[in-house]
Amino acid sequence: MLPLSELENRIGYKFKNESLLKRAMTHRSFSSENNERLEFLGDSVLNCVIGNALFLKDKHFDEGSLSRVRSNLVKQSALAEIAERIGISEFLRVGEGELHTGGNRRPSTIADAVEAIFGAVFTDSGFESAQTVIIRLYEPMLSKLTPDTLGKDPKTRLQEVLQGHHYGLPVYEVLEVRGLPHDQEFLVSVSVPKLDINLQGVGRSRRQAEQEAAQKALDSEAVKKLKG
Amino acid sequence: MLPLSELENRIGYKFKNESLLKRAMTHRSFSSENNERLEFLGDSVLNCVIGNALFLKDKHFDEGSLSRVRSNLVKQSALAEIAERIGISEFLRVGEGELHTGGNRRPSTIADAVEAIFGAVFTDSGFESAQTVIIRLYEPMLSKLTPDTLGKDPKTRLQEVLQGHHYGLPVYEVLEVRGLPHDQEFLVSVSVPKLDINLQGVGRSRRQAEQEAAQKALDSEAVKKLKG
């Protein structure tokens, strides 16, 4: 187990109250005084910081894109990637049983621990400090973002490809709505007559079904050719 | 339509850049330059501020309670209550069609507008200012919170009532699991032999089904008598 000062170096933040960091590095299998509450807090700080970073980054991100891109950035796999980069397992206190089964390297555990660090920094010295730590750790991911890969949903991308090649707008049509009002399923078709495309999507909302259909159209040979 | 300075009085915050508030008060039916992005941002600021307020308020709130209590505070009905208290409809710009159908008073619209205000304050002058505005508007709800009414889930409350009267622990049993792995339904029973209680709950997870069963037990005559 490495000293916590080394972890402070890696995240680029020195705690006033180091017991907060110790707490953040304590899994529930180790003690009832664990990092779960800090993780709760850190999760909301993270959502706010990344939400704001995306908000400022691109004015063309609409609400849906902001939400989707953020989900991709705050999900477990992204957090686990950061956790591995800073080698969090070497600082994590887990119970004996967990240790034997590699619990200190489990993606969910190390992702939670990263969120707990964010919560600990926030508690130690406020939002701005937490923001600085989060943005620094997320820098590689935030700089890689492109509107094409993350910012735009399938419907938007399909529309842009088609318009770019003067094929006009795709046409969506609801073919069927199944189920009870609170638990519906929508079957939707998308068609691009000039490309002889007619595909279907299913979803829990009309919008979701349309997005699925648009994604299928994007994956079709005809559209792939257009994208080159 | 009242001037925005009156809205500033009501929320207790004066904008440096008043166009942000104007934007926050613009529904998508009125203009493409609307409040949807600010609402996205405000939602995450709100979650963070209320999460932190609860985190600091009671050390005994575990992660699950924090999460549950926060959901109750940030849900549409709570936001709509705040929106009505500050009379937000009088400042909201909605399209003609919406206006005729009372769209400027619709709970979802006014709740979103409150979140947009939080996002606007955050953008105007940072987290601390947004926190001050949010805490002030939430004060009546935050001060009413009690562990009994909001902080504890039905299973915890049932256990406490029974133990307080020496009836021991309730016994939960999974009676049936239906459906496919990704879409299961659990049927669970809870029993308290000494009180002749045997009730069932259904849910999408074992935990959810147990909570439903516990709630039914709490609502039963036998337990109500204990609670006095």
Short mmCIF file of all heavy atoms in Angstrom, two decimals, chain B residues 27 29 84 89 92 94-110:
data_model
loop_
_atom_site.label_atom_id
_atom_site.label_comp_id
_atom_site.label_asym_id
_atom_site.label_seq_id
_atom_site.Cartn_x
_atom_site.Cartn_y
_atom_site.Cartn_z
N HIS B 27 -39.36 29.60 -23.15
CA HIS B 27 -39.73 28.22 -23.44
C HIS B 27 -39.45 27.92 -24.92
O HIS B 27 -39.43 28.81 -25.75
CB HIS B 27 -41.22 28.02 -23.14
CG HIS B 27 -41.68 26.61 -23.28
ND1 HIS B 27 -42.50 26.19 -24.31
CD2 HIS B 27 -41.44 25.52 -22.52
CE1 HIS B 27 -42.75 24.89 -24.17
NE2 HIS B 27 -42.12 24.46 -23.09
N SER B 29 -41.22 26.75 -27.09
CA SER B 29 -42.32 27.09 -28.00
C SER B 29 -42.24 28.55 -28.45
O SER B 29 -42.92 28.97 -29.37
CB SER B 29 -43.67 26.84 -27.31
OG SER B 29 -43.78 27.68 -26.17
N GLU B 84 -44.33 27.95 -8.45
CA GLU B 84 -45.58 28.65 -8.13
C GLU B 84 -45.37 29.67 -7.02
O GLU B 84 -45.95 30.75 -7.04
CB GLU B 84 -46.66 27.64 -7.75
CG GLU B 84 -47.26 27.04 -9.01
CD GLU B 84 -48.19 25.87 -8.75
OE1 GLU B 84 -48.60 25.66 -7.59
OE2 GLU B 84 -48.49 25.15 -9.73
N SER B 89 -44.78 31.84 -13.80
CA SER B 89 -45.59 31.93 -15.03
C SER B 89 -45.70 33.37 -15.53
O SER B 89 -45.83 33.61 -16.73
CB SER B 89 -47.00 31.39 -14.80
OG SER B 89 -46.94 30.10 -14.29
N LEU B 92 -42.64 33.99 -17.80
CA LEU B 92 -42.26 32.99 -18.79
C LEU B 92 -42.76 33.37 -20.18
O LEU B 92 -43.91 33.69 -20.37
CB LEU B 92 -42.87 31.66 -18.35
CG LEU B 92 -42.19 30.38 -18.77
CD1 LEU B 92 -40.72 30.38 -18.38
CD2 LEU B 92 -42.91 29.20 -18.11
N VAL B 94 -43.76 32.00 -23.57
CA VAL B 94 -44.11 30.77 -24.29
C VAL B 94 -44.78 31.17 -25.60
O VAL B 94 -45.25 32.30 -25.75
CB VAL B 94 -45.06 29.86 -23.48
CG1 VAL B 94 -44.44 29.46 -22.15
CG2 VAL B 94 -46.40 30.53 -23.27
N GLY B 95 -44.83 30.24 -26.56
CA GLY B 95 -45.45 30.53 -27.84
C GLY B 95 -46.95 30.79 -27.70
O GLY B 95 -47.57 30.40 -26.70
N GLU B 96 -47.53 31.44 -28.71
CA GLU B 96 -48.96 31.76 -28.71
C GLU B 96 -49.83 30.53 -28.41
O GLU B 96 -50.72 30.57 -27.58
CB GLU B 96 -49.37 32.30 -30.09
CG GLU B 96 -49.00 33.75 -30.32
CD GLU B 96 -49.84 34.69 -29.44
OE1 GLU B 96 -51.00 34.34 -29.14
OE2 GLU B 96 -49.31 35.74 -29.05
N GLY B 97 -49.55 29.47 -29.14
CA GLY B 97 -50.34 28.25 -29.00
C GLY B 97 -50.31 27.73 -27.57
O GLY B 97 -51.34 27.39 -26.98
N GLU B 98 -49.11 27.72 -27.01
CA GLU B 98 -48.93 27.26 -25.63
C GLU B 98 -49.71 28.13 -24.66
O GLU B 98 -50.33 27.65 -23.72
CB GLU B 98 -47.44 27.33 -25.25
CG GLU B 98 -46.61 26.18 -25.75
CD GLU B 98 -46.96 24.88 -25.05
OE1 GLU B 98 -46.62 24.76 -23.86
OE2 GLU B 98 -47.57 24.01 -25.67
N LEU B 99 -49.64 29.43 -24.91
CA LEU B 99 -50.30 30.38 -24.01
C LEU B 99 -51.80 30.09 -23.94
O LEU B 99 -52.39 30.07 -22.85
CB LEU B 99 -50.05 31.80 -24.53
CG LEU B 99 -50.17 32.93 -23.52
CD1 LEU B 99 -49.26 32.70 -22.32
CD2 LEU B 99 -49.82 34.27 -24.18
N HIS B 100 -52.39 29.83 -25.09
CA HIS B 100 -53.83 29.58 -25.13
C HIS B 100 -54.23 28.32 -24.40
O HIS B 100 -55.35 28.22 -23.90
CB HIS B 100 -54.31 29.51 -26.60
CG HIS B 100 -54.35 30.85 -27.23
ND1 HIS B 100 -54.42 31.06 -28.59
CD2 HIS B 100 -54.31 32.09 -26.68
CE1 HIS B 100 -54.42 32.35 -28.84
NE2 HIS B 100 -54.35 32.99 -27.71
N THR B 101 -53.34 27.35 -24.35
CA THR B 101 -53.68 26.10 -23.66
C THR B 101 -53.09 26.07 -22.24
O THR B 101 -52.96 25.02 -21.63
CB THR B 101 -53.17 24.88 -24.45
OG1 THR B 101 -51.74 25.02 -24.60
CG2 THR B 101 -53.81 24.79 -25.82
N GLY B 102 -52.70 27.25 -21.75
CA GLY B 102 -52.19 27.33 -20.38
C GLY B 102 -50.80 26.73 -20.22
O GLY B 102 -50.41 26.32 -19.12
N GLY B 103 -50.04 26.69 -21.32
CA GLY B 103 -48.71 26.07 -21.29
C GLY B 103 -47.74 26.74 -20.34
O GLY B 103 -46.80 26.12 -19.87
N ASN B 104 -47.98 28.03 -20.05
CA ASN B 104 -47.06 28.73 -19.15
C ASN B 104 -47.32 28.40 -17.68
O ASN B 104 -46.65 28.91 -16.80
CB ASN B 104 -47.13 30.25 -19.37
CG ASN B 104 -48.50 30.80 -19.03
OD1 ASN B 104 -49.50 30.07 -19.13
ND2 ASN B 104 -48.57 32.05 -18.62
N ARG B 105 -48.32 27.53 -17.45
CA ARG B 105 -48.59 27.09 -16.07
C ARG B 105 -48.43 25.58 -15.92
O ARG B 105 -48.67 25.02 -14.84
CB ARG B 105 -50.01 27.48 -15.64
CG ARG B 105 -50.26 28.96 -15.77
CD ARG B 105 -51.55 29.45 -15.16
NE ARG B 105 -51.61 30.89 -15.28
CZ ARG B 105 -51.05 31.74 -14.42
NH1 ARG B 105 -50.44 31.28 -13.36
NH2 ARG B 105 -51.09 33.04 -14.62
N ARG B 106 -48.04 24.92 -16.98
CA ARG B 106 -47.89 23.46 -16.95
C ARG B 106 -46.76 23.08 -16.00
O ARG B 106 -45.67 23.65 -16.07
CB ARG B 106 -47.59 22.96 -18.37
CG ARG B 106 -47.71 21.46 -18.52
CD ARG B 106 -47.60 21.06 -19.99
NE ARG B 106 -48.70 21.62 -20.78
CZ ARG B 106 -48.55 22.17 -21.98
NH1 ARG B 106 -47.35 22.27 -22.51
NH2 ARG B 106 -49.59 22.64 -22.63
N PRO B 107 -46.99 22.11 -15.11
CA PRO B 107 -45.96 21.74 -14.12
C PRO B 107 -44.59 21.45 -14.74
O PRO B 107 -43.57 21.92 -14.23
CB PRO B 107 -46.54 20.49 -13.44
CG PRO B 107 -48.01 20.66 -13.57
CD PRO B 107 -48.24 21.35 -14.89
N SER B 108 -44.56 20.70 -15.85
CA SER B 108 -43.25 20.36 -16.42
C SER B 108 -42.54 21.61 -16.94
O SER B 108 -41.34 21.77 -16.77
CB SER B 108 -43.42 19.34 -17.55
OG SER B 108 -44.23 19.87 -18.57
N THR B 109 -43.32 22.52 -17.52
CA THR B 109 -42.72 23.74 -18.07
C THR B 109 -42.18 24.65 -16.98
O THR B 109 -41.06 25.17 -17.08
CB THR B 109 -43.79 24.51 -18.90
OG1 THR B 109 -44.25 23.66 -19.94
CG2 THR B 109 -43.20 25.78 -19.50
N ILE B 110 -42.95 24.84 -15.92
CA ILE B 110 -42.50 25.76 -14.87
C ILE B 110 -41.38 25.12 -14.04
O ILE B 110 -40.47 25.80 -13.59
CB ILE B 110 -43.66 26.28 -13.98
CG1 ILE B 110 -44.39 25.14 -13.27
CG2 ILE B 110 -44.65 27.07 -14.82
CD1 ILE B 110 -45.51 25.63 -12.33
#
